[in-house]
Amino acid sequence: MNKLSHEVWVYIEKKQNNIADVSLELLSKGRKLADKLNGTLKSVIIGHDLERLAKETFNYGAEEAIVVDHVDLKEYKTMPYSRVFSELVKKHQPRIVLFGATFIGRDIAPRVASNTLSGLTADCTDLQISDVSYMKKEYPKLLLQIRPAFGGNIVATIITPDNPVQMASVREGVMQMVPLAKPVNGKISKVPYQAEEIDKVIEIIERHQEECKVNLKCAPIIVAGGYGMGSKENFKLLKELADLIGGEIAGSRAAVDAGFVEHERQVGQTGVTVRPKLYIAAGISGAIQHRAGMDESNKIIAINSDPDAPIFGVCHYKILGNAMEIIPAFIEAYKNKLK
Amino acid sequence: MTYNSIVLVKQVPDTANISGDVMKPDGTVNRAKLPAIFNPEDKVALELALQVKDQYGGKVTAVTMGPPKAAELLKECLYMGADEVVLVTDRKFAGADTLATSYVLNKVIEKIGNYDIVFAGRQAIDGDTAQVGPQTAEKLGLPQITYAEKILELNNGKIKVQRLIDGGYEILASKLPALLTVIKEASVPRPFAAKRVMAFKNYVPRHLTTEDLDVDLERCGLFGSPTKVYNIESVVLSAGDHENVEPSKEGLGQLIDKLMNDHIFG
Ligand SMILES: Cc1cc2nc3c(=O)[nH]c(=O)nc-3n(C[C@H](O)[C@H](O)[C@H](O)COP(=O)(O)OP(=O)(O)OC[C@H]3O[C@@H](n4cnc5c(N)ncnc54)[C@H](O)[C@@H]3O)c2cc1C
Ligand SMILES: Nc1ncnc2c1ncn2[C@@H]1O[C@H](COP(=O)(O)O)[C@@H](O)[C@H]1O
């Protein structure tokens, strides 16, 4: 095998005029991976007017920003972005490439992986570097890509042993964002963009985007309900409690699917990952996909009528019983304290 | 003008309803115990293809790669209204990751040929990767529109689609042929047509194997998959060190006091 690169790349996604949080989180993780490899961390940014963003990545440990800057690339478009990125990967063969598992990341990453014949593991919840022995062969410093699988009943570690490039995507909020005390004195490498016919086959006709109004990630207290809440009507109890104690409401996927609560309030592997000071889980069984999004909360109160509900395995305070009685009692008790 | 569609469909274990006895003691999954279902978003993708056919005419071909049992799924496609179905099955395809899957699907689509739109579900509920659609599009050199929620217009070899994006939606226009990945909200799949159920009850779908396809075996199945499962752990829950709180006035009152002392409340 040829000598493998020690570069870790992070695809930098833009949100409004800034870098998306998930990309900064990945840079922080990428920094650690690069250190383990004794390698370098590079950010890759495609778009227009990127100088400020490129420098921002140095605050999170990137030593180099690879920048493809052109007016035609102002907005994300599948074809030019994935083509340009694939060409960069083919040329430099980075050892690891990380993407946010966002609308954009999930649009571009598989195309780049397909084009460059790289392995790509979706929605990892953890990434580590380790020596691996697999099928009687030794592989130094492989990327362990850890993700829940099969309805969350198992946790799988995926490796890409025989490929020069290992790619993975990670959801927003899963990795921690750690700005450096002292930014790296990084370098910006500009790569020219040459338009091709295929870049123009898709046109953007219009775009409606609102800044997300619910910011679960920043809420200090989250009151979450699951399918066990039984109805949208009963969810109002949670809202009442949340308003009282200064929290936001959230839900499990089952609650979202049942229409009890809006989609953007879903917590878990396919929703938001949160780390509030207090997480109250009412009528949530605690499937791993849900726990993946909340088990790092500072304090967890679980309310469930099933003594064996898995949520009790991650909580700090267990309240066994009917949520429809316990929540009103909690509200009562809280109001009494305020008197 | 008429439009021909190819729809990629997959039979998946019903992961939403996994129960304890599905897990073997060694932490692996006993697939035999899992009911197999039509991947929900693929059914919606098929529905959209059928709507295109209803409105403009053309042909709908459903394709699946999987074990022989996946023929059940193709029959359901026929019951809903698909014109043709293709089962891609071969031991040599087993163990494929998304890259190897998309490689084979791209060869199948090329073989079928004469298509305007390829539809896929956004993601399959067993892996939840949402990778196979875009990876197939890349291999075919097709433009893609992921997270499609509405086809607004088909005209003059162009398609206009509304798709979901972060915090809203956008409308894109693409030249055809193109590949769309479809989200659940896009439509509600039609029920089976009783007449078609009668007509296709004993239908045996057309099979394609490695012999019928111009594939490089080194790029198929487990062998052709760059990603490998290194380790699987079944999720065993720790008992956890939690405190039991009585659901009584006193119990809840004490809990609130504690949280106030910890400066979580107040
Ligand atoms: C690939 C994949 C990704 C997923 N991503 C996510 C994700 O991001 N987030 C997520 O949440 N899920 C996700 N899921 C789904 C997850 O596996 C579970 O199905 C889901 O979290 C279950 O939601 P739930 O706990 O609300 O419902 P259930 O599992 O139905 O649990 C309801 C609970 O309520 C309790 N209950 C019932 N009545 C009462 C009452 N009156 N008072 C108190 N308790 C009561 C029951 O004992 C039970 O424990 C994903 C699944 C897959 C396969
Ligand atoms: N074996 C397969 N046969 C046919 N279509 C598939 C197969 N695997 C995945 N797909 C299609 O690709 C989509 C995304 O799958 P995934 O990347 O596994 O989440 C699915 O919704 C299907 O439309």
Side-chain angles (χ1 to χ4, degrees), chain A residues 106-107 110-111 114-115 147 153 155 157 159 201 203 205-210 310 312 316 318 337, chain B residues 123 127-128 135 138-139 142 144 146 158 166-167 169-171 173 228 230-231 233 237 242-243 245:
Chain A
R106 291 179 133 211
D107 193 68
R111 280 200 88 109
S114 183
N115 184 289
R147 74 183 305 257
N153 293 273
V155 173
T157 302
I159 52 173
V201 291
E203 295 163 74
I205 310 286
E206 51 182 283
R207 185 174 278 176
H208 300 265
Q209 217 165 359
E210 280 173 36
F312 288 138
H316 303 92
K318 166 176 176 174
K337 299 280 172 197
Chain B
Q123 65 187 30
D128 253 7
Q135 287 184 316
E138 175 72 29
K139 295 217 149 60
L142 294 183
Q144 77 192 25
T146 53
K158 264 200 166 177
D166 201 11
Y169 67 92
E170 67 182 2
I171 295 172
K228 316 273 184 200
Y230 171 55
N231 178 29
E233 259 170 63
L237 284 173
H242 53 246
E243 206 174 296
V245 177

Side-chain angles (χ1 to χ4, degrees), chain B residues 163-241:
Chain B
R163 73 184 284 260
L164 205 63
I165 55 174
D166 201 11
Y169 67 92
E170 67 182 2
I171 295 172
L172 301 179
S174 173
K175 283 193 189 148
L176 293 174
L179 183 142
L180 266 53
T181 78
V182 175
I183 60 172
K184 202 172 70 190
E185 291 73 20
S187 196
V188 178
R190 64 193 63 192
F192 300 157
K195 267 202 180 134
R196 297 186 67 94
V197 176
M198 294 301 288
F200 292 107
K201 216 165 55 191
N202 298 315
Y203 186 83
V204 181
R206 169 178 169 208
H207 280 51
L208 292 180
T209 66
T210 44
E211 315 246 301
D212 308 300
L213 293 165
D214 170 29
V215 288
D216 176 354
L217 289 178
E218 302 226 317
R219 292 180 65 184
C220 298
L222 185 63
F223 189 80
S225 299
T227 61
K228 316 273 184 200
V229 177
Y230 171 55
N231 178 29
I232 284 187
E233 259 170 63
S234 107
V235 175
V236 190
L237 284 173
S238 64
D241 311 321

Side-chain angles (χ1 to χ4, degrees), chain A residues 15 76 78-79 82 86 102-103 106-108 110-115 117-123 131-134 144-145 147 149-163 169 171 197-198 201-211 221 245 253 257 269-270 277-278 280 288 291 298-299 301 310-321 326 329-330 333-334 336-338, chain B residues 13 15-16 18-19 22-23 27-29 31 34 97-99 102 122-123 125-132 134-139 141-147 158 160 163-175 184-185 219 222 226-235 237-249 252-260 262-266:
Chain A
K15 197 163 183 181
Y76 173 78
T78 310
M79 299 312 284
S82 64
S86 298
T102 57
F103 283 90
R106 291 179 133 211
D107 193 68
I108 187 173
R111 280 200 88 109
V112 174
S114 183
N115 184 289
L117 305 183
S118 308
L120 170 62
T121 305
D123 293 350
D131 294 342
V132 165
S133 88
Y134 178 74
L144 303 186
Q145 303 155 89
R147 74 183 305 257
F150 249 92
N153 293 273
I154 56 180
V155 173
T157 302
I158 311 290
I159 52 173
T160 313
D162 295 310
N163 260 62
S169 74
R171 281 179 185 274
E197 202 57 33
I198 186 129
V201 291
I202 299 183
E203 295 163 74
I204 303 173
I205 310 286
E206 51 182 283
R207 185 174 278 176
H208 300 265
Q209 217 165 359
E210 280 173 36
E211 234 177 290
I221 297 178
I245 60 179
R253 182 157 103 177
D257 286 351
Q269 188 197 336
T270 41
K277 282 199 291 184
L278 177 66
I280 301 179
I288 184 149
R291 296 199 316 266
N298 191 1
K299 284 280 184 288
I301 301 177
I311 191 75
F312 288 138
V314 295
C315 76
H316 303 92
Y317 301 104
K318 166 176 176 174
I319 313 182
L320 182 64
I326 293 168
F330 196 102
Y334 190 86
N336 279 331
K337 299 280 172 197
L338 295 185
Chain B
T15 50
I18 285 189
S19 59
V22 167
M23 303 302 294
T28 57
V29 176
R31 278 180 184 257
L34 277 177
D97 72 356
T98 61
L99 192 76
S102 65
R122 174 193 46 156
Q123 65 187 30
I125 61 167
D126 53 351
D128 253 7
T129 77
Q131 288 174 185
V132 170
Q135 287 184 316
T136 307
E138 175 72 29
K139 295 217 149 60
L142 294 183
Q144 77 192 25
I145 300 180
T146 53
Y147 294 91
K158 264 200 166 177
K160 208 192 264 182
R163 73 184 284 260
L164 205 63
I165 55 174
D166 201 11
Y169 67 92
E170 67 182 2
I171 295 172
L172 301 179
S174 173
K175 283 193 189 148
K184 202 172 70 190
E185 291 73 20
R219 292 180 65 184
L222 185 63
T227 61
K228 316 273 184 200
V229 177
Y230 171 55
N231 178 29
I232 284 187
E233 259 170 63
S234 107
V235 175
L237 284 173
S238 64
D241 311 321
H242 53 246
E243 206 174 296
N244 284 306
V245 177
E246 278 305 312
S248 62
K249 209 168 147 191
L252 294 173
Q254 283 164 11
L255 172 60
I256 292 166
D257 285 339
K258 249 183 238 149
L259 295 171
M260 283 182 164
D262 291 346
H263 301 288
I264 287 172
F265 281 158

Side-chain angles (χ1 to χ4, degrees), chain B residues 8-75:
Chain B
L8 303 177
V9 295
K10 188 179 183 189
Q11 195 175 44
V12 291
D14 189 0
T15 50
N17 296 311
I18 285 189
S19 59
D21 59 346
V22 167
M23 303 302 294
K24 295 190 216 156
D26 63 356
T28 57
V29 176
N30 190 348
R31 278 180 184 257
K33 285 221 170 156
L34 277 177
I37 58 168
F38 201 132
N39 183 49
E41 284 178 326
D42 301 356
K43 208 169 187 177
V44 179
L46 174 60
E47 173 60 34
L48 286 198
L50 293 172
Q51 287 174 13
V52 167
K53 175 186 155 167
D54 292 345
Q55 193 172 346
Y56 301 92
K59 210 169 100 177
V60 174
T61 307
V63 174
T64 192
M65 178 172 104
K69 182 172 179 291
E72 296 164 3
L73 175 75
L74 294 176
K75 280 214 241 171

